Amino acid sequence: MFFFFKQKTAYEISACLVGSEMCIRDSFNLVMEERKLEMGKIAEEKQIPYQALIAGAAITLPLVAGSLGLNAMCIYDLAPQSIPYIYNFFVKFSGIQLCFFSGVHWGIAINQHDMQPNFVNSSTDVKIQFVLASLPLFLGFYFTTNLTQLLEASPQYGIASLIGMCILHLNVLYLDYSAVTKKQAPYWLLKLKLPLSIASIFSLGAIIYIYQNYQEKLKQKKSVYEGYQVEENTWKPKSKRQPRSAPEAEK
């Protein structure tokens, strides 16, 4: 029964392949044009969604309140044994906030990568965007996880790491401005991130002020779980239990 069907020549098959390739290319271009039009509409949005407001407030207000509260605790000498732990907590929280802010630009860079014809190799602009979005992630993680060791090694190292986190916030703010001006992100993104970034830098400045003026209180890091106990606002080691002698052990 196969003889009833006409067999196609190589020329006819190649023509069909060329036609299908053109259809795929045209459909891809059509999808990209529609996607660019949709991104243009999104870039013109100026009203900040309430979900973004809630997320921004949830990741920024604790840092601001914590830095101000720590300053009050240091000035009025409130719960001095808790100051080092609260200080380290909010420093690490600022690193989490920085990663949250820069993670937005990973999504923007991935979207720009998907909109280019070459799916394998990103363009130079997209590669730069990936690198700038990665810097706050890795450097912020390094600063926050090693800040205790940096503070103990030298005051200059600790202050330099905190200033470095402020610079990383400015880097993220530059990415926000660049994404909005290139219409890669909605206009409300810059309206939201500008006050949040300023508040974050202010909070880091308050943490730097604590370190410069209350270094001694930040060095009290011993706890009862590490074999120490608090007596009259001083740190004293717990008395170790003496081992029993052999006759007493037999009794």
Side-chain angles (χ1 to χ4, degrees):
M1 60 180 296
F2 294 102
F3 294 100
F4 291 100
F5 296 95
K6 180 183 177 182
Q7 295 182 354
K8 292 185 177 181
T9 62
Y11 177 78
E12 292 173 331
I13 293 175
S14 63
C16 295
L17 292 175
V18 172
S20 62
E21 183 181 356
M22 293 176 63
C23 292
I24 294 172
R25 184 193 61 190
D26 293 340
S27 61
F28 173 81
N29 293 334
L30 181 61
V31 170
M32 289 298 104
E33 289 298 327
E34 292 178 353
R35 194 167 178 177
K36 288 180 181 179
L37 290 175
E38 189 66 25
M39 285 298 300
K41 294 179 182 178
I42 294 175
E44 298 298 329
E45 295 180 1
K46 298 183 179 180
Q47 184 66 31
I48 303 175
Y50 72 92
Q51 297 93 336
L53 281 172
I54 294 174
I59 200 69
T60 306
L61 290 181
L63 181 62
V64 176
S67 61
L68 295 177
L70 275 172
N71 273 276
M73 292 175 67
C74 292
I75 292 172
Y76 298 105
D77 200 21
L78 303 174
Q81 296 82 14
S82 303
I83 290 176
Y85 305 104
I86 300 175
Y87 180 85
N88 291 332
F89 171 79
F90 280 106
V91 167
K92 293 178 180 179
F93 185 85
S94 65
I96 295 173
Q97 181 210 39
L98 188 61
C99 294
F100 178 80
F101 283 170
S102 62
V104 174
H105 293 282
W106 261 87
I108 295 174
I110 291 173
N111 182 51
Q112 295 302 311
H113 172 79
D114 292 340
M115 291 180 64
Q116 60 186 6
N118 190 347
F119 288 105
V120 179
N121 297 319
S122 299
S123 62
T124 303
D125 292 339
V126 175
K127 289 179 179 178
I128 293 174
Q129 196 168 2
F130 271 120
V131 171
L132 292 178
S134 302
L135 286 177
L137 292 171
F138 295 106
L139 293 180
F141 177 79
Y142 172 77
F143 287 148
T144 53
T145 53
N146 296 280
L147 185 60
T148 304
Q149 291 78 6
L150 292 172
L151 291 175
E152 291 178 351
S154 174
Q156 289 78 13
Y157 291 156
I159 294 175
S161 63
L162 292 171
I163 294 175
M165 293 185 66
C166 295
I167 295 174
L168 291 176
H169 272 288
L170 294 176
N171 173 51
V172 175
L173 193 60
Y174 164 76
L175 290 175
D176 296 332
Y177 175 78
S178 177
V180 170
T181 53
K182 294 179 181 178
K183 295 188 176 181
Q184 299 173 356
Y187 181 78
W188 58 261
L189 179 67
L190 188 60
K191 291 174 59 179
L192 175 66
K193 295 289 289 297
L194 181 60
L196 294 181
S197 298
I198 293 174
S200 302
I201 294 173
F202 169 78
S203 301
L204 289 172
I207 293 175
I208 294 173
Y209 175 81
I210 293 173
Y211 179 73
Q212 286 183 328
N213 295 276
Y214 304 99
Q215 293 185 28
E216 295 301 323
K217 294 185 178 182
L218 298 178
K219 292 179 181 178
Q220 300 174 354
K221 297 186 291 297
K222 300 296 183 182
S223 67
V224 294
Y225 301 104
E226 297 172 346
Y228 283 74
Q229 61 184 2
V230 182
E231 294 181 4
E232 299 178 356
N233 295 328
T234 60
W235 297 104
K236 295 181 179 180
K238 284 185 175 180
S239 60
K240 296 184 179 179
R241 185 177 179 182
Q242 298 295 331
R244 293 182 297 177
S245 61
E248 293 179 355
E250 292 177 358
K251 293 179 181 180

